[in-house]
Amino acid sequence: MSISHAPPGSSEPDISDIPDGALVKATAATPSPPDLEPLLPASSRRTRIPRWLRRTTGPVLLLILWQLLSATGVLTADVLASPGRITQVAGDLIADGSLSSAMATSLTRVAAGLALGTLVGTGLALVSGLFRIGEDLVDAPVQMLRTVPFVGLIPLFIIWFGIGEAPKVAIITLGVTFPLYLNVYAGIRGVDSQLIEAGESLGLSRWGLVRHVVLPGALPGALTGLRYSLGIAWLALVFAEQVNADSGIGFLMVQARDFLRTDVIVVCLIVYAFLGLLADFIVRSLERLLLQWRPTFTGR
Amino acid sequence: MATDVHRPVSPEAVPASETSQATPSTQATQAVHVAGLTRAFDGRAVIDRLDLDVRPGEFVALLGRSGCGKSTLLRILAGLDRDIEGTVLVPRRKAVAFQAPRLMPWKKVWRNVLLGLPGKPGRAVAEQALKEVGLDHRTDAWPKTLSGGEAQRASLARALVREPDLLLLDEPFGALDALTRIKAQRLVGELWQRRGCAVLLVTHDVEEAVLLADRVLVMDDGVIAHEQRIDLDRPRDITDPRFAELRAGLLERLGVDTAAEAA
Ligand SMILES: Nc1ncnc2c1ncn2[C@@H]1O[C@H](COP(=O)(O)OP(=O)(O)OP(=O)(O)O)[C@@H](O)[C@H]1O
Ligand SMILES: [Mg+2]
């Protein structure tokens, strides 16, 4: 890659008969050209294969391998059903409506828990982030409660709320609350004090400062919290539905376990994954919409 | 996050009644009255019993080596720093252009310009202000996409649009190229003459100080160590021998200070 401007051979005779001192000077005056590195435009550095194709190759290869292992009998149906069988079962479950009704039940639970948890989490974070007294009253108890693994509370919730929808929604709410609280609180406290000062100097009222400086500044943190919360919401859903449920995706899985139907279990797992992806997509879209002002590093 | 704008910037410890008795006569004749102001960071007094008066409509430039407390003084005058001792009287309507532009990154440039203005002014007001600083083509941009000088001009427009009685400028032309800087200086000069507001301009550029100011102050050791009236007619001509003389005098003054420091 080195590009030299002068052929080294041609310059040698020129300086051979110059005295030593002058030679040093001459070389210092005309430094040898450095190795040049071509900086290619970003577009040409990328490969020509479209992005979606590159991203789907890996999963497709994995699927093919899985199908091969099942077909050759290395992977028996008791351990893991083949992709073909799973597709067929998924079709059946969709056709008889059991999958969609289970999905609807589970989605309702997550939505309710998420809504409640978002309300509680951001509410608490606003109180302790915006008011000194709120911080003193709220932060310590929340930090203490945070250390209790929320899944461990399921038995207690069943005693309190019975076995209906309430304990399931409560578990999801609890799981969602803490990551949101922590991130929104950190977001509020992390707002650049110089910007707050600028806002003050512009004559913003206290509420104006909150509305125009503090909340927008805390938004990136809040969205990160929301993303964490969504992940935890699914996790909480899985736990809640496998204990004492009579409907929903988790119930479908428990049932399948009793009949050793690995195909149904995998279908349910795929549904969970799909819903998780969907949720992530929604948050990403939200981020793109609300954080337009932020120049982001997109990676290479 | 105290945002109420007291007219006397009272130190937090002192009750308001104590400062309000401070000489009502100076209050009427001065745009800024500072007496015995002290501000210490961790026991080190950055501003040490400083006195300063600025007449209404006066243009004052403040020079001083880096770290001598110019920005600190400006923040106090802007009412942003109340951990002070002494008397500080400032007008209610004041505007600041900070050393760093401090634009809200989540608001488009024109919304930044209008932020905090009373009575919901329309976008045209912002456009007019941005046009004055030569930034009308970036009205709709996000602040993070502005160049350093563009951001500084947006910040300047945001201060100018407030039509203040006291304009506090902290090195507002630092990141500008020679031509834009001359334009911006002219703009501030014109606005000052039109509005008749008092201006305190912090700068490192002696020529800029002599070009714009009625009075040039040199800050050192936490006080105003030197004061120089500039009685040249406006518009000023930098090739005028008296201009060169004043500039040389100030430069020497700054140089003497640094030489004394080194010794
Ligand atoms: N919040 C703070 N805590 C501690 N020290 C501070 C604080 N703010 C400023 N200082 C110190 O006070 C001194 C004066 O700072 P200031 O920003 O006023 O300097 P300046 O004269 O504006 O300098 P420059 O010309 O470089 O902008 C500096 O030594 C600085 O380190
Ligand atoms: Mg400064």
Side-chain angles (χ1 to χ4, degrees):
Chain A
M1 218 180 353
S2 67
I3 302 165
S4 29
H5 291 297
S10 65
S11 66
E12 251 157 26
D14 284 351
I15 51 171
S16 59
D17 46 6
I18 297 173
D20 270 2
L23 179 70
V24 174
K25 260 188 200 156
T27 47
T30 56
S32 62
D35 279 353
L36 299 185
E37 172 197 30
L39 293 178
L40 301 175
S43 57
S44 72
R45 215 179 323 179
R46 312 233 154 139
T47 39
R48 298 272 175 254
I49 311 164
R51 185 95 192 276
W52 63 269
L53 198 63
R54 273 188 296 158
R55 285 174 67 91
T56 42
T57 326
V60 168
L61 283 178
L62 205 66
L63 268 181
I64 292 172
L65 183 70
W66 180 1
Q67 180 68 43
L68 275 177
L69 288 177
S70 296
T72 52
V74 180
L75 209 58
T76 58
D78 297 351
V79 179
L80 200 59
S82 71
R85 169 90 192 130
I86 287 165
T87 320
Q88 200 186 337
V89 170
D92 293 349
L93 284 174
I94 292 170
D96 72 2
S98 50
L99 191 63
S100 51
S101 82
M103 255 171 90
T105 313
S106 295
L107 267 178
T108 316
R109 285 171 185 156
V110 169
L114 202 61
L116 272 176
T118 308
L119 217 65
V120 177
T122 36
L124 287 177
L126 288 180
V127 168
S128 66
L130 297 179
F131 306 102
R132 189 76 45 82
I133 177 140
E135 181 183 15
D136 294 343
L137 290 179
V138 173
D139 196 51
V142 174
Q143 297 289 355
M144 262 164 58
L145 283 180
R146 187 174 72 89
T147 56
V148 178
F150 68 95
V151 190
L153 291 174
I154 291 181
L156 205 54
F157 278 15
I158 289 177
I159 293 175
W160 291 348
F161 303 117
I163 52 167
E165 291 300 293
K168 300 177 185 65
V169 173
I171 270 300
I172 297 170
T173 304
L174 199 67
V176 164
T177 301
F178 293 116
L180 255 176
Y181 172 84
L182 290 179
N183 282 285
V184 175
Y185 176 68
I188 290 176
R189 285 304 160 99
V191 173
D192 189 349
S193 62
Q194 293 211 334
L195 291 183
I196 293 187
E197 216 178 74
E200 272 184 60
S201 82
L202 294 175
L204 287 178
S205 63
R206 194 186 155 88
W207 165 239
L209 274 181
V210 169
R211 196 162 86 89
H212 295 292
V213 186
V214 177
L215 292 187
L219 199 58
L223 286 172
T224 310
L226 185 62
R227 204 186 277 185
Y228 273 113
S229 292
L230 276 171
I232 291 188
W234 295 127
L235 205 67
L237 178 76
V238 175
F239 277 113
E241 288 191 332
Q242 296 202 355
V243 181
N244 221 319
D246 52 10
S247 60
I249 300 170
F251 170 69
L252 222 57
M253 277 176 91
V254 173
Q255 230 181 3
R257 182 197 64 198
D258 294 345
F259 295 104
L260 293 179
R261 292 285 301 270
T262 56
D263 43 9
V264 177
I265 292 180
V266 173
V267 170
C268 290
L269 287 177
I270 290 172
V271 170
Y272 273 138
F274 174 73
L275 291 178
L277 272 180
L278 192 71
D280 206 54
F281 172 77
I282 292 173
V283 181
R284 266 171 207 277
S285 310
L286 260 178
E287 282 186 350
R288 213 166 316 155
L289 191 74
L290 296 175
L291 304 182
Q292 287 171 22
W293 51 271
R294 213 164 53 155
T296 43
F297 174 69
T298 50
R300 289 197 171 147
Chain B
M1 284 208 306
T3 56
D4 46 327
V5 190
H6 298 298
R7 194 170 146 135
V9 177
S10 49
E12 279 170 340
V14 184
S17 57
E18 222 169 292
T19 41
S20 57
Q21 66 181 16
T23 51
S25 60
T26 48
Q27 202 165 328
T29 55
Q30 302 293 354
V32 174
H33 174 69
V34 175
L37 173 67
T38 298
R39 172 64 164 112
F41 289 114
D42 315 315
R44 185 174 61 100
V46 171
I47 294 177
D48 195 4
R49 291 188 296 267
L50 179 141
D51 299 323
L52 169 68
D53 281 305
V54 178
R55 281 182 287 106
E58 191 182 20
F59 198 128
V60 175
L62 184 60
L63 297 171
R65 76 192 146 70
S66 173
C68 73
K70 305 181 295 293
S71 297
T72 306
L73 177 62
L74 221 72
R75 286 184 64 241
I76 292 171
L77 294 182
L80 298 170
D81 186 349
R82 306 274 170 100
D83 293 329
I84 52 173
E85 290 163 40
T87 309
V88 179
L89 296 175
V90 289
R92 190 178 293 277
R93 288 166 66 99
K94 46 197 179 302
V96 199
F98 295 96
Q99 200 164 357
R102 301 200 191 179
L103 302 169
M104 308 296 158
W106 40 82
K107 289 191 180 292
K108 297 246 171 99
V109 168
W110 70 274
R111 286 196 184 275
N112 259 290
V113 171
L114 296 184
L115 188 60
L117 276 181
K120 298 224 183 311
R123 188 188 156 121
V125 176
E127 270 168 359
Q128 180 58 34
L130 285 167
K131 196 177 174 132
E132 285 193 334
V133 295
L135 212 60
D136 41 337
H137 59 295
R138 302 291 275 148
T139 312
D140 259 324
W142 295 110
K144 293 243 159 138
T145 67
L146 297 181
S147 78
E150 283 173 340
Q152 223 170 25
R153 279 182 282 156
S155 165
L156 189 61
R158 184 173 67 175
L160 299 185
V161 82
R162 263 136 246 278
E163 312 228 317
D165 294 322
L166 173 63
L167 182 59
L168 301 163
L169 303 173
D170 198 349
E171 298 178 38
F173 312 127
L176 303 185
D177 65 281
L179 183 63
T180 319
R181 170 186 282 249
I182 289 170
K183 277 194 205 156
Q185 287 170 348
R186 202 173 292 160
L187 172 73
V188 168
E190 279 168 12
L191 184 108
W192 165 70
Q193 281 181 329
R194 198 168 69 228
R195 282 278 309 149
C197 57
V199 179
L200 184 64
L201 168 75
V202 171
T203 176
H204 284 299
D205 185 343
V206 176
E207 192 169 289
E208 180 174 293
V210 178
L211 188 68
L212 291 170
D214 296 320
R215 194 151 57 104
V216 179
L217 307 175
V218 179
M219 194 169 164
D220 194 21
D221 272 340
V223 291
I224 306 297
H226 182 67
E227 186 177 324
Q228 174 68 58
R229 296 210 64 78
I230 312 286
D231 287 323
L232 303 178
D233 296 331
R234 296 170 191 269
R236 288 174 182 163
D237 177 12
I238 52 171
T239 54
D240 187 336
R242 282 178 301 159
F243 189 102
E245 197 181 313
L246 283 166
R247 186 181 55 183
L250 279 166
L251 275 173
E252 192 188 354
R253 173 72 211 182
L254 288 165
V256 166
D257 285 340
T258 45
E261 179 99 339

